[in-house]
Amino acid sequence: MDIVNRFLDEESLYALPVVDSANKAITLLDRHIFLEFFSRPYVREVYGNKTIVHFLNTKQMTYQTKTPIMVDAASSIDDVAQIIIDAGMQHMVSGFIVTQNEQYAGIANGHDLLQDITRRKQDELYYLAHYDQLTKIPNRMLFNDRLTQACREAVRKDTLVGLLFIDVDRFKQINDSMGHRFGDMLLVALAERLQSCARDCDTVGRLGGDEFAILMDTPQDAGSISMLSKRVVDSMREPFQVMGKELYVTVSVGTSIFPSDDAEIDGLFAKADTAMYEAKTKGRNGFQEYIPGLSIYSPDRMSLESDLRAALRNNEFVLHYQPQICLATNQVVGVEALIRWRHPKHGLLSPVHFIPTAEENGLIVEIGRWVLREACRQCRQWIDAHHATLRVSINISALEFRQADFVEQVRAILNETGIAPSHIELELTESIVMHNVGAVLAILNELKRMGIFLAIDDFGTGFSSLNYLRRFPIDRLKIDQSFVQGIDHIPANESIVRAITSLAHNLSMEVVAEGAESDAELAILMACQCNEAQGYWFAKPMPADDVMPWVAAWEDRKAD
Ligand SMILES: Nc1nc2c(ncn2[C@@H]2O[C@H](COP(=O)(O)O[C@H]3[C@@H](O)[C@H](n4cnc5c(=O)[nH]c(N)nc54)O[C@@H]3COP(=O)(O)O)[C@@H](O)[C@H]2O)c(=O)[nH]1
């Protein structure tokens, strides 16, 4: 072997330093050779111990072999370290030639190697324990630690600490439609963007999943924390380029301040989390500071799951309805059914608190069936009592839609409640319809044959193939509210809404704009030729009993 000869010839090699490079193929010279070459005093000791050959359990190799022992190519220097340690050879002076593809790499002194590896192992362990492996930013443990330190420092100096809790809107949909690798790459890009918003003295951390946090060190006042929150939300306006695709992402941010909101770390997190949910409830893509009175509801996943089962059993869900207005006639043409949870302890909870978990644990199928039945029953009652001609739009989750008997379930509920299919619209997301397109097309065609209306919800936030879109029997595209909000002063939003409207009209679809809140927004939506709109400008979602009186009042107001 070249390497052996070279090794034996070049005594000077003995003095070379340890080469410490992980993930290289490693050759361990047979101890017979290095024992001859290296320090005699240690012979006895090594003889007395297990040999590496023995340790590796490589049967064909004996102690006397002159052939270098090849460790698996995937072995790293850490494996060697493990061998040294396990074989009880800490006291060996020298003995390892580390090569890659039989290239000389260096000579290791047992002590040095061990020390070096121990130090690096410690560094690695610290890194693993404190940094998120995907995004390379501090993980929850290190973030908590820094927050604790910052709060101690703040007490000493009588200053403040700001906590921003950041959740990516609709991350599950992105993961489901684009795959987990794409989702991972997006999280990496998000972490970078968040870091670009913060100052060097702040800490940006990943708490897990699609949750991030920023520790704002010694903010001047609550205004500085709001400014950072706004910067974070605004920074998402630029689309992300991930794996050759362009994607618009929004985030919801909740903030809390030490010590005014809470003097304990857990309390600060709970309050920022509560504020974040409030931001989501207000339509996502925004920030909210914690204000006393916001109901704190942040159960762990397990308790939420069992609470949700109990909620189904105890009939704690309720539907609220938000009017949809035809912009040409100003008439109420439909209502969207939106679920709420009348929680026995926490009052009326927004779906942002429980729909994502229900989608993860599968309970959404049962909840969705309840929503469908209840919305159909309610619509039938409005028709019977008020001769209403309303259409009720119902949100359908991916898991519900993918049930093998979804169409049959819909048909059975329509029959059971006696509602005509032309009063019902199902809202599906882009991620539902653009997945397994052949099967989806068959289901959509079947629903369409029944006479049900079909809409794509949150249009613009996912990926739609225009080729598929034109083949689907879709009646309406609902433009996501993130493009509607601020449309009067964000030129990009207006361009997006114009593009979607023109696309929809060319495909013989109508457009509903979601989240219209101001006169100015509404004026632009009309100028963009949107067919319908819904949003707080008209009305917030309301209990079923308020709908007909609201419709009557709207008609009266129109007549005046
Ligand atoms: N699978 C199901 N998902 C459901 C169901 N019911 C609701 N949801 C989904 O939960 C998300 C949050 O819904 P909600 O808190 O009800 O918020 C809706 C509106 O209240 C809100 N909205 C409407 N107008 C405005 C406005 O002018 N400003 C503003 N800030 N928010 C407004 O938007 C939500 C409507 O969302 P969408 O469905 O996209 O039209 C939401 O994702 C619901 O889909 C359910 O039964 N099943």
Side-chain angles (χ1 to χ4, degrees), residues 170 281-284 319 322 336-340 350-352 355 359 364 371 395-397 400 427 457-458 478 480-481 485 514-517 534-537 541:
R170 299 197 188 87
T281 308
K282 287 184 167 167
R284 310 184 183 99
L319 292 184
Q322 186 176 38
E336 179 179 1
L338 294 157
I339 194 168
R340 271 90 182 99
S350 150
V352 298
I355 289 286
E359 283 175 335
I364 192 66
V371 171
N395 288 282
I396 303 294
S397 283
E400 289 174 77
E427 293 190 7
D457 200 9
D458 308 329
K478 291 191 74 180
D480 189 67
Q481 48 180 282
Q485 282 162 2
E514 294 186 67
E517 290 188 0
Q534 75 184 79
Y536 293 173
W537 192 88

Side-chain angles (χ1 to χ4, degrees), residues 4-28:
V4 174
N5 293 332
R6 197 169 161 203
F7 176 66
L8 293 173
D9 291 341
E10 292 182 39
E11 295 197 16
S12 58
L13 290 180
Y14 182 75
L16 286 171
V18 171
V19 171
D20 177 20
S21 55
N23 301 319
K24 286 189 177 168
I26 290 161
T27 302
L28 302 178

